[in-house]
Amino acid sequence: MPPPPEAKAADGKPRPRPRPRRLRAFGAPISTAEFIGIAAAVFAGLAFAWTAVTALGWVEPLFLPSPMRVILRFNELAASGKLADDTLISVYRITFGFLISTLFALPIGILIGCYRTWEGGIEPLVDFIRYMPVVAFVPLTILWTGTGDVQKFLIIWIGTFFQQVLLVMDNVKAVPRDFVNLGRTLEMSEPKILLRIVLPSAMPAIWDSMRISLGWAWTWLVVAELVAATSGIGYRITTAQRFFQTDTIFAYLLLLGVLGLATDQAMKLAHRRLFRYLQAR
Amino acid sequence: MAPPKLVIRGLGKSYRTERGELVALAGVDLDVGENEFVALVGTSGCGKSTLLSIVAGLESMDHGVVTIDDEPIVAPGLDRGVVFQTYTLLPWLTAEGNVAFALAAAGCKPSDVRAIAREQLALVGLDGFEAAYPNELSGGMKQRVAIARALSYRPRMLLMDEPFGALDALTRHHMQELLTRIWERHRLTVLFITHDVEEAVYLSDRVAVMSNRPGRIKTLVPIDLARPRRYELLSTPEFQRLHRAVLDSIREESIQVAQLGRALER
């Protein structure tokens, strides 16, 4: 192919064609297919490395079982129904725990995002508690509520609520000042400005905050189940550790990864659907 | 002569900052007549946007009076349509939805909302874009919707705070022509804030030049250029003369600032 005419310098010599900078340029777009391809390659690479390391006998199977063993174990667990039972109970706990937390965090976050007085009353307190490690609450919550589901809800709540409140507050504060001013010039009442301008405006960002905090909620659920439970994914991981069933631990870890990835993608998809107007067509 | 629509008398405003009191406006006097287009120009930070916010009722004042049709301003209201410098279209509503939003808030009959919204969008040349979301519109189009929205509920006057400030030069010229055309056809009292002297002279009946902080009205330049105005006007000697006069008045202020700066350095 002949070089395009502009590729020639003033002296008539052909200049080297500028290489496409796609890979190196900041934020350069790639297609969905490329994105998925790259992601899949990383997973495949990791799986390959794992297979290689175990097949070559570099690590004791007790510490790192081979992928094949983990898959077999996974199938066994799935066939026995244990996997589904544990997943269901854990999903039930996280759904409730997360919903309760969100139900508290939304109104309070919105309130302190809108009114400085409330912010003064609540924000420093939330910050104070937020820095206490959630794990330290586990013994206390067991003392308070025993080892049932309520304790799991409580741990998820403590771990999630205080973060969510601050995220929602920031989302509400990020609503452009002039949006509120617009409402004022239209003589809208304060509650109307809140409901019809501030909330819809903050909603996409709030949705993202919920998506991010759901990931944390998973962590707290497993922490709670690891310490004191008689069912659930975390419980199964602890018992497997007691019997040196590393393959079971890995099977459940992979399950957690898949569940997390799936919910995150679902939330992202919902975001695109709910807030279609954000995409320029 | 008819009494002025907007009367500003002895307007003062100061802010408390960490470094003490900052006087933004001191003794601003300005009248805007019925259906008059007045542009307010000044160096950045002279308090012109503060002045507009006070007239809009979005900010309080410390001294003085502001009245529209002899009624003092105490709060924002539907009698003043505001076009903001930032894009304030609600992103979850279409162009038509944004105009309809304002109409509904203004208590327009629900059965009339759609027709009026479409009519207003046509006025700013956006027929065919009713169903477009703000993210699909260019900066100029967004401000056109904002103008349509502010005009839709028939306010008694229009307040515009550097509405074309964020636009590129070419789009800005289009918007100025569009605004002039609409204004010449429909006539409305307008207070227009800008730092673009050419824009101020082209659009307005009078240009008010603000002094540096503390802001007050320094000079009033009547723009006695014939209407309808078209863009060719910019190259005429009359336009150049007025442009020059306003510019000189502002330049005095900038020079003062520079001298003050040098004096402080010594």
Side-chain angles (χ1 to χ4, degrees), chain A residues 16 46 51 54 120 136 187 211:
Chain A
L46 210 62
T51 314
T54 49
E187 285 184 34
R211 180 172 65 84

Side-chain angles (χ1 to χ4, degrees), chain B residues 43-109:
Chain B
T43 50
S44 44
C46 71
K48 50 192 194 296
S49 283
T50 305
L51 177 59
L52 188 114
S53 287
I54 292 172
V55 177
L58 294 167
E59 267 190 72
S60 63
M61 57 187 121
D62 298 334
H63 314 283
V65 223
V66 180
T67 59
I68 289 183
D69 293 331
D70 287 330
E71 295 163 33
I73 284 170
V74 284
L78 287 159
D79 55 337
R80 284 148 288 155
V82 182
V83 179
F84 297 92
Q85 181 180 7
T86 57
Y87 300 129
T88 51
L89 295 195
L90 304 176
W92 61 95
L93 297 174
T94 60
E96 188 187 311
N98 266 283
V99 181
F101 183 89
L103 284 166
C108 176
K109 267 208 321 227

Side-chain angles (χ1 to χ4, degrees), chain A:
Chain A
M1 214 175 80
E6 65 271 17
K8 278 195 178 174
D11 57 3
K13 273 188 220 154
R15 248 188 301 183
R17 206 189 250 263
R19 300 235 324 262
R21 301 176 43 111
R22 228 169 32 140
L23 286 175
R24 290 178 291 137
F26 291 120
I30 59 169
S31 71
T32 315
E34 279 176 300
F35 188 90
I36 293 171
I38 292 168
V42 169
F43 273 90
L46 210 62
F48 176 77
W50 183 10
T51 314
V53 163
T54 49
L56 293 169
W58 288 357
V59 214
E60 253 332 285
L62 178 65
F63 299 132
L64 183 66
S66 72
M68 211 51 220
R69 272 197 60 184
V70 172
I71 289 166
L72 287 175
R73 188 79 210 166
F74 192 90
N75 286 338
E76 263 173 52
L77 289 164
S80 70
K82 261 188 189 166
L83 199 73
D85 289 348
D86 291 330
T87 308
L88 274 179
I89 189 78
S90 287
V91 167
Y92 156 74
R93 283 170 184 158
I94 196 161
T95 308
F96 253 79
F98 183 76
L99 281 183
I100 296 167
S101 170
T102 306
L103 240 49
F104 275 90
L106 282 180
I108 296 175
I110 290 162
L111 190 71
I112 63 178
C114 288
Y115 302 105
R116 292 282 287 169
T117 322
W118 287 100
E119 189 185 343
I122 293 172
E123 201 261 357
L125 180 68
V126 167
D127 252 340
F128 176 65
I129 300 171
R130 193 168 69 102
Y131 277 99
M132 301 178 183
V134 182
V135 192
F137 281 95
V138 173
L140 200 58
T141 53
I142 294 173
L143 270 174
W144 285 344
T145 63
T147 57
D149 286 347
V150 177
Q151 187 255 341
K152 310 296 172 291
F153 300 154
L154 201 55
I155 284 296
I156 294 173
W157 185 84
I158 294 170
T160 318
F161 165 79
F162 296 98
Q163 317 284 342
Q164 282 181 329
V165 166
L166 295 185
L167 287 172
V168 172
M169 178 189 80
D170 276 340
N171 298 150
V172 170
K173 281 188 171 184
V175 172
R177 186 80 211 149
D178 279 345
F179 280 23
V180 176
N181 283 339
L182 170 74
R184 298 245 159 88
T185 63
L186 293 173
E187 285 184 34
M188 291 167 75
S189 64
E190 293 285 303
K192 265 200 173 156
I193 290 176
L194 178 64
L195 282 175
R196 306 212 30 213
I197 294 181
V198 175
L199 283 191
S201 176
M203 214 31 98
I206 291 177
W207 186 268
D208 265 335
S209 297
M210 293 308 112
R211 180 172 65 84
I212 290 162
S213 59
L214 182 57
W216 303 332
W218 268 110
T219 311
W220 304 128
L221 167 74
V222 175
V223 164
E225 288 180 344
L226 281 172
V227 178
T230 50
S231 59
I233 293 174
Y235 163 74
R236 204 60 68 184
I237 289 175
T238 326
T239 43
Q241 183 238 342
R242 235 172 263 159
F243 299 105
F244 297 108
Q245 291 168 338
T246 332
D247 46 358
T248 306
I249 296 181
F250 268 85
Y252 275 93
L253 283 179
L254 290 184
L255 176 69
L256 279 170
V258 170
L259 285 175
L261 189 66
T263 40
D264 204 69
Q265 291 300 317
M267 294 278 283
K268 271 188 187 163
L269 185 73
H271 190 281
R272 278 201 293 275
R273 287 278 152 82
L274 285 169
F275 312 112
R276 226 180 255 279
Y277 57 81
L278 290 174
Q279 292 139 45
R281 257 167 285 175

